Amino acid sequence: MVFPTHRPRRLRQSAPVRRLMAENHLVPSQLVLPLFVREGISEPQAISSMPGQSQHTLDSLRRVAAEAAEAGIGGVMLFGVPAVRDAVGSGADDPDGILNVATTALQQEVGDALVVQTDLCLDEFTDHGHCGVLRADGAVDNDATLERYVSMGIAQARAGSQLLGLSGMMDGQVAAIRAGLDAEGFTDTIIMAYSAKYAGAFYGPFREAVDSQLKGDRRTYQMDPPNAREGVREALLDVEEGADIVMVKPGLPYLDVLAEVRAAVDVPVWAYQVSGEYSMVEAAAERGWIDRRATILDSLAAFNRAGADAVLTYWATEAAGWIREGL
């Protein structure tokens, strides 16, 4: 009988051996939990298209953030849902606006245990749902939007945000906000750029989560899904402008872009496991079609394997518990 010279199965023969031979290791501190806080509600409001997720009150937001800190995750990314919107998103840089008030509350609650982060974009705050200021013809005015972003970034830094998530996909946003922060003395505030953010089909449940007012689409400023090289170019431009971290979003459908960005830049690279990815797994698991826990952990391993240094995921707290069980 002729035996194989190479027997790779030796390294897969038992759980302890597989654990020892694992090429990548995910830890709770690599996970970031996105959270939604809504102005004017007295109880958390369930998000029907995202089972298990809610729009929070300030009190419930504090509780969930405290649980996340106890689980050992790396941070929370905060999105605000205001009661009143207008054409320029005035609530975004209002010190008494819901996002800024909630940021201060979370910084006081968990700021010593994890990184309090804030979404820097106008879409939640505008009555038209776009990520920027509109021109008379209805198109997004890139440079006028940058002025709003700078004001919003300064307001978030003053409120206590340690990391700003620049998700608007405006040209020059990193350079403009970095200059604005530095001029106000916020030289330590971290900028994470959503560098390769695609105008794909995986954001649907998020629209409910932030009560989006969007009509139309964002294809003139978010990236076209067929393009990979463009995503790398966007990341390189953001690094040149001063981004401390770059992001690829959505996650699993763009692992190829994530890997290419990781190879191209020398700053941390993050990924966002978006609402559509979350809801598809939850729906299939509810029907018994997949093993929920195994699928979630497989998906997080994929990000880790492709080169992500951290992952924004709605399962952050829960997955952190599972990871710690396996350590």
Side-chain angles (χ1 to χ4, degrees), residues 62-264:
R62 291 187 186 96
R63 291 194 298 270
V64 170
E67 292 170 2
E70 180 65 23
I73 72 168
V76 291
M77 175 65 76
L78 189 57
F79 296 84
V81 184
V84 178
R85 297 173 167 93
D86 61 25
V88 297
S90 299
D93 54 350
D94 181 351
D96 296 321
I98 184 60
L99 181 56
N100 296 318
V101 170
T103 299
T104 300
L106 283 197
Q107 180 61 32
Q108 294 170 349
E109 185 75 26
V110 296
D112 292 333
L114 47 70
V115 180
V116 175
Q117 309 167 29
T118 45
D119 178 62
L120 199 163
C121 192
L122 289 174
D123 59 323
E124 297 106 291
F125 297 92
T126 56
D127 56 12
H128 46 73
H130 276 287
C131 297
V133 178
L134 301 185
R135 299 194 311 240
D137 62 2
V140 174
D141 186 325
N142 191 96
D143 295 359
T145 298
L146 294 184
E147 296 179 15
R148 297 290 299 126
Y149 282 2
V150 170
S151 182
M152 188 178 183
I154 293 169
Q156 290 182 355
R158 284 177 177 154
S161 179
Q162 299 163 278
L163 183 154
L164 310 184
L166 279 54
S167 62
M169 288 298 289
M170 295 296 120
D171 294 340
Q173 61 183 13
V174 172
I177 294 169
R178 182 76 273 164
L181 291 171
D182 290 356
E184 293 294 321
F186 294 110
T187 55
D188 290 334
T189 302
I190 301 165
I191 286 180
M192 187 269 288
Y194 287 54
S195 299
K197 182 179 180 181
Y198 286 84
F202 286 84
Y203 302 124
F206 184 88
R207 305 285 186 251
E208 178 190 355
V210 298
D211 189 23
S212 175
Q213 306 299 300
L214 181 66
K215 303 293 189 296
D217 59 51
R218 300 186 173 118
R219 293 185 179 275
T220 64
Y221 46 102
Q222 293 180 0
M223 287 184 54
D224 197 20
N227 296 353
R229 293 191 302 271
E230 185 183 8
V232 175
R233 182 187 182 212
E234 288 276 11
L236 290 170
L237 287 171
D238 285 343
V239 172
E240 183 181 338
E241 291 181 20
D244 302 293
I245 305 163
V246 295
M247 165 87 85
V248 175
K249 178 183 180 180
L252 292 179
Y254 298 93
L255 289 180
D256 59 325
V257 180
L258 174 61
E260 290 183 25
V261 169
R262 172 66 286 166

